[in-house]
Amino acid sequence: MKYYLIVGEASGDLHASHLMAALKVEDPQAEFRFFGGDLMAAVGGTMVKHYKELAYMGFIPVLLHLRTIFANMKRCKEDIVAWQPDVVILVDYPGFNLNIAKFLHARTQIPVYYYISPKIWAWKEYRIKNIKRDVDELFSILPFEVEFFEGKHHYPIHYVGNPTVDEVTAFRAEHPETYEDFIRENGLESKPIIALLAGSRKQEIKDNLPDMLRAASAFPEYQLILAGAPGISPDYYQEYTGSAKVKILFGQTYRLLQQAEAALVTSGTATLEAALFRVPQAVCYHTPIGKVISFLRRHILTVKYISLVNLIADREVVKELVADTMTVEQARAELERILYNKDYRQQMLDGYEYMASRLGDAGAPKHAAQEMVRLLKK
């Protein structure tokens, strides 16, 4: 069968690549064509457009690139129609992907599957109407989404487990690396590590990295290691690292988390990854209009938390420093608690165990692939 996949960022590339590999096991004749990234290309198939040409976040960047965004949408729609896949699989990235789903529902008979469902439980819940109308099958990777979609909105979904659990479990099994090996191979100091994960988009890095560095630099007995994001150049990071004593490692995020004592993490999949590696963390998400965002969070957002760790656990496991509460002083104070308060640190690690128990067993790409192939063969 022919599968057309669409992702818009690095995490989508990772999850989609594992799904593609699982689909090849279930369907040895599988053909792939996609808007994606290097990891998907490594599995096989034809890449029409790299996600780096799609990833715009925030009102102003989107506004400035509207012509490019619309051109990419047009190209994607035309390419799908020309190739005539058996199914289109959308992976997260709802602003772009729901537009594609609307087009496909109105103009074609091609089924639309959504893997990693849009997070409308946090923002833009009205999109449920579009999902019910335009998406044939929805595959969830977060357990609390079942009640939201099925209980609240009477829309059936497939909960298949979380792919990040698979990815971290597989990495830890295949890389029993020591701290000594890690620092030797990367030319690091013999100091414990504070990991900095400042996001995968330029705007996130610009907004968060300077304050994260100022906060973490208050602990000279630790070395600061920044996880470089795919598609972000060292020169771009240099604009915001300045004279700070920090080393950037690209393509080694999991190796870094495996050895880190603590982390400052921008909200997103990275918060879940840090938790699965059992790294105590503070979630940091600064924005230039912090007071406005804090107001919206209190009065418009329908969830209590923004980090996946807290959302899955349904309680505060990690401290969220968001919008106007994300200051250098607060980040420094939270990092100090994580590093030196043994009871506080252990409480967070216990919270990670509880969160992991709520995620259930591994096997998300495998379960999703099996279900997709079964549905297509009906």
Side-chain angles (χ1 to χ4, degrees), residues 160-208:
V160 294
N162 194 288
T164 304
V165 175
D166 298 87
E167 290 147 12
V168 171
T169 300
F171 181 89
R172 296 179 74 174
E174 295 165 9
H175 299 83
E177 184 177 42
T178 66
Y179 166 80
E180 289 74 19
D181 289 340
F182 179 69
I183 62 170
R184 184 181 64 253
E185 288 183 25
N186 287 290
L188 303 177
E189 300 179 72
S190 295
K191 292 182 178 181
I193 294 168
I194 296 175
L196 304 177
L197 287 79
S200 60
R201 297 184 178 97
K202 288 185 175 181
Q203 189 66 41
E204 291 176 325
I205 295 164
K206 176 184 177 183
D207 290 344
N208 291 282

Side-chain angles (χ1 to χ4, degrees), residues 238-253:
Q238 187 60 43
E239 293 181 39
Y240 303 103
T241 56
S243 60
K245 191 175 181 181
V246 59
K247 180 154 185 176
I248 307 174
L249 297 181
F250 288 91
Q252 299 191 56
T253 300

